[in-house]
Amino acid sequence: MPTTLRRAVIPAAGLGSRLLPLTRAIPKEMLPVGDRPVIEHTVRELIDSGITDITIVVSGDKSLIQDHFRPNPALVAQLRAAGKDAYADAVEDVADLSRRGHITYLFQHGPYGNGTPVLNAARDFGDEPFLVLWPDDVFVARVPRARQLITAHEKTGAPVLALMPMDPAESHRYGVPMVKEDLGEGALRITGLVEKPDPSVAPSHYAAIGGYVLTPGVVDELREQYRQFRANPVGELYLTDALNAYAARRAVYGQVIEGRWYDTGNPQAYLLAQFAHALAHPEYGPPLLDLARTRPGPGAGRAAGAERGTGAGRAAGAERAAGGE
């Protein structure tokens, strides 16, 4: 699929502290949703959207991510020798993602904050715009979320943020955009973001959900933040601050994403995403529904709640922009 964007960044150096102790030894990006780790969902989304160069920014204890995407010819040969060709094909298919998406890895350096991995990766991008997607979100949509963001950027040539409608009472959980103009078809001209405002002062009924097309001008604002941090090393380097500084002088847009959002960034959201994914599976869904309906114990009651949330869009957070970092 032709696109004016070819690069993407996946920040994957976080501690996963909200999922401890589960993430004590396993990177949160490697936790499964369905039959693949959550970061693989993100990588496939990017490749399906036409991205050909993916930089995954990691910390020193994230080698399992590289191991997952690395070719393993010995395992493939062993599986084929045992007549397990379907499993061998699945292993080769994952390894092929590294070639199709030209995955490279970069170790994070710099202050805390979600702007640091972006700034680390962008130093080699020159004047190219690029996508940023977090690796603990999974989108299910007819048109991939990344492709929707790319299309919005192609129309505007400006930075674009992924947005979804939210329950106004939930505004204290999200970055909420200040909307200047509704351009139709889900496109909004915005003048900045307010982080986690009280519902009484929230500037709109949309939530920023952690997907971006960034331009060199936003990277320049990040560089300026970093210069200020070097002079006075207090606080963190935030992408939101750079976007707000950029939006004060130039156009920034939001694109309301059509699709269903599965968040995996905290225990409850992760469990609900797992249930929602399994309930939608043709093989796993029916027995899960049977378990939820019979309710043999307290666990089944929670499963039933997940089923109800899925049907209403609550489990995935798709229709009300459920949390994420």
Side-chain angles (χ1 to χ4, degrees), residues 5 10 33-34 54 57 92 96-97 112 147-149 159 169 174 194 196 217 219 225 243 247 274-275 281 292:
L5 278 83
I10 301 176
V33 172
I54 299 171
V57 183
E92 288 188 319
D96 191 50
L97 295 174
Y112 287 112
R147 182 65 240 181
Q148 294 181 53
L149 289 169
Y174 312 112
V194 179
K196 301 180 179 179
V219 176
Q225 281 190 57
L243 284 164
Q274 284 279 44
F275 275 119
H281 193 282

Side-chain angles (χ1 to χ4, degrees), residues 3 44 55 83 109 117 155 166 186 221 283 301:
T3 174
R44 288 184 182 276
T55 301
H109 298 281
K155 292 177 180 178
M166 70 170 179
E221 296 291 351
E283 180 182 352

Side-chain angles (χ1 to χ4, degrees), residues 172-236:
H172 63 284
R173 299 176 59 190
Y174 312 112
V176 179
M178 296 178 282
V179 178
K180 179 178 181 179
E181 184 180 5
D182 188 333
L183 304 173
E185 298 183 340
L188 305 171
R189 171 76 184 271
I190 66 175
T191 57
L193 288 169
V194 179
E195 282 293 335
K196 301 180 179 179
D198 185 88
S200 63
V201 295
S204 71
H205 293 169
Y206 296 99
I209 55 171
Y212 310 87
V213 174
L214 301 183
T215 59
V218 178
V219 176
D220 288 341
E221 296 291 351
L222 275 173
R223 291 194 179 103
E224 176 57 31
Q225 281 190 57
Y226 182 64
R227 282 192 288 269
Q228 294 175 16
F229 177 86
R230 290 287 299 273
N232 182 28
V234 176
E236 301 183 11

